[in-house]
Amino acid sequence: MKTNNPAFPSADHDHKHCVSLALKNAEAYCLQQGLRLTKLRHQVLELIWANHQPVGAYELLEQLTQEGRKAAPPTVYRALDFLMENGLVHRISSRNAYVGCSHAGHDHTAQFLICETCGQVAELDDARIGSVITKDADQLGFTVAQWTLEISGICDQCKRGTADE
Amino acid sequence: MKTNNPAFPSADHDHKHCVSLALKNAEAYCLQQGLRLTKLRHQVLELIWANHQPVGAYELLEQLTQEGRKAAPPTVYRALDFLMENGLVHRISSRNAYVGCSHAGHDHTAQFLICETCGQVAELDDARIGSVITKDADQLGFTVAQWTLEISGICDQCKRGTADE
DNA sequence: CTGCATTATGTTACAATATAACATAACAAT
DNA sequence: ATTGTTATGTTATATTGTAACATAATGCAG
Ligand SMILES: [Zn+2]
Ligand SMILES: [Zn+2]
Ligand SMILES: [Zn+2]
Ligand SMILES: [Zn+2]
């Protein structure tokens, strides 16, 4: 399965391509896995992919409502649960927000670079990190189930003053 | 400055020692830095160190009240802010909970092993992780400000059935 | 197609976590 | 003592997330 661009997308990148790729991947993945990517879930996933910034659940709720859907908090949280369980979306717990997965279907653990200026998130997938973690854990007899790494800072574009927001 | 034990403490470890060491270190550090470790802050820090499990803000609030202090949410959150700003406490954002820092004064970034069974948290300080992160970030032109790594799993004692809870 | 089981969504109410805004108190230095 | 500063008290509210139960849609057996 093809992945989306892992790094920070430039202000003028073809984001429609990001969206359609993510949706197409999700559709294919769900089909293949026998998962029901319902209209609601598809809609939420598309809203999440509106940009590369993590989005809050209540923000999604508001947008769903604006799009004419009858929605309450559980509507959103259930869709998010489905999307997260199936690796299509990640939660950025340091922000209580959600972001589309750039490596959906890969079976990976998430590593995020979060720009404090533009709010954009890039997803890393550096195997070395997982390997160091596993080694450390092994030494302590700790069995790793999952982990998240959230890195805050300033992205290249923001340093250069070319961010899109 | 002496550090507390970095790994998962055993069920029968001398936890009073952990507490007194943490408090002593905090007092010394605040004195040296000209920081005001007030009665409230000291009290909150002590409550946080009641065990090696992260504790929620409202749990702290309840305990403060039980100890006779007039407290409301801001009371706790302000104390937590102070303690976090000064590296005496870390927030486990995947749990909305707070844990005493085992390396206070070291100027380090937090890395946590969180046992899903006993709830205990061990703080790692593996420089290799930071170094990999820095390298990855550099390649993308990303300047790292801070990061957190939260690793869930099962600790050694829980696997052996000797956890303290 | 029909009835039935399963899964998804709607709906209401509420729990849990965190902050805003302003008043009072404690503290530290003149 | 006076005064500016920092910390705490107090009230109210914002934000994030769930529980519980009702209804609707879907998939399938017969
Ligand atoms: Zn894009
Ligand atoms: Zn940026
Ligand atoms: Zn201890
Ligand atoms: Zn354990």
Side-chain angles (χ1 to χ4, degrees):
Chain A
M1 181 175 292
K2 240 184 130 208
T3 73
N4 297 85
N5 185 338
F8 285 89
S10 66
D12 60 355
H13 80 288
D14 179 12
H15 186 61
K16 275 179 192 149
H17 181 253
C18 301
V19 176
S20 70
L21 185 55
L23 294 176
K24 218 167 289 180
N25 280 346
E27 287 156 13
Y29 179 72
C30 288
L31 191 63
Q32 175 210 326
Q33 299 288 313
L35 300 169
R36 290 170 60 185
L37 187 59
T38 63
K39 185 133 191 218
L40 172 64
R41 291 162 177 173
H42 191 279
Q43 200 176 354
V44 169
L45 183 59
E46 190 166 5
L47 286 171
I48 287 175
W49 271 102
N51 53 48
H52 292 269
Q53 294 151 346
V55 58
Y58 278 74
E59 219 174 317
L60 290 170
L61 175 55
E62 197 180 335
Q63 292 171 325
L64 277 179
T65 304
Q66 278 172 9
E67 292 187 0
R69 154 87 57 177
K70 288 235 174 150
T75 312
V76 173
Y77 282 104
R78 285 191 288 226
L80 288 172
D81 284 346
F82 170 87
L83 295 168
M84 285 191 291
E85 269 166 24
N86 297 295
L88 301 170
V89 157
H90 293 292
R91 178 186 153 94
I92 309 287
S93 62
S94 60
R95 311 234 162 176
N96 297 329
Y98 306 84
V99 71
C101 175
S102 304
H103 314 96
H106 274 207
D107 184 24
H108 62 293
T109 303
Q111 311 162 27
F112 302 103
L113 295 175
I114 308 163
C115 177
E116 288 167 359
T117 300
C118 66
Q120 291 196 98
V121 167
E123 191 175 340
L124 291 180
D125 195 7
D126 187 332
R128 290 175 297 175
I129 294 173
S131 129
V132 171
I133 287 172
T134 304
K135 261 176 222 151
D136 283 347
D138 278 353
Q139 277 203 334
L140 296 172
F142 187 91
T143 302
V144 173
Q146 61 173 162
W147 50 273
T148 61
L149 172 56
E150 301 179 11
I151 306 165
S152 286
I154 313 283
C155 79
D156 192 48
Q157 295 159 48
C158 283
K159 276 187 284 190
R160 299 167 128 90
T162 57
D164 64 2
E165 207 167 354
Chain B
M1 181 177 291
K2 244 187 125 206
T3 74
N4 297 84
N5 185 338
F8 285 90
S10 65
D12 59 356
H13 81 289
D14 179 13
H15 186 61
K16 274 180 192 148
H17 182 253
C18 301
V19 177
S20 70
L21 185 56
L23 293 176
K24 218 168 288 180
N25 281 347
E27 288 156 13
Y29 179 72
C30 288
L31 190 63
Q32 175 209 326
Q33 299 287 314
L35 300 168
R36 289 170 60 184
L37 186 60
T38 63
K39 185 134 191 218
L40 171 66
R41 291 162 176 173
H42 192 279
Q43 198 176 356
V44 169
L45 183 59
E46 191 166 4
L47 287 172
I48 288 176
W49 271 103
N51 53 50
H52 292 269
Q53 294 151 346
V55 58
Y58 279 73
E59 218 173 317
L60 290 169
L61 175 56
E62 196 180 334
Q63 293 172 325
L64 276 179
T65 304
Q66 278 172 10
E67 292 188 359
R69 154 91 53 180
K70 289 235 175 150
T75 312
V76 172
Y77 282 103
R78 286 191 287 226
L80 287 172
D81 285 346
F82 170 86
L83 295 169
M84 285 191 292
E85 270 165 25
N86 297 294
L88 302 171
V89 158
H90 293 293
R91 179 186 153 95
I92 310 288
S93 64
S94 59
R95 312 237 160 172
N96 298 328
Y98 306 84
V99 72
C101 174
S102 304
H103 314 95
H106 274 206
D107 185 25
H108 62 293
T109 304
Q111 311 162 28
F112 303 103
L113 296 175
I114 308 165
C115 177
E116 289 167 357
T117 300
C118 66
Q120 291 197 96
V121 167
E123 192 174 339
L124 292 179
D125 196 8
D126 186 333
R128 289 175 298 173
I129 294 174
S131 129
V132 171
I133 288 172
T134 304
K135 260 177 221 152
D136 284 347
D138 278 354
Q139 277 203 334
L140 295 172
F142 187 90
T143 303
V144 174
Q146 60 173 163
W147 49 274
T148 61
L149 173 55
E150 301 179 11
I151 306 164
S152 287
I154 312 283
C155 79
D156 191 48
Q157 294 158 48
C158 285
K159 277 187 283 189
R160 299 168 129 90
T162 57
D164 64 4
E165 205 166 356

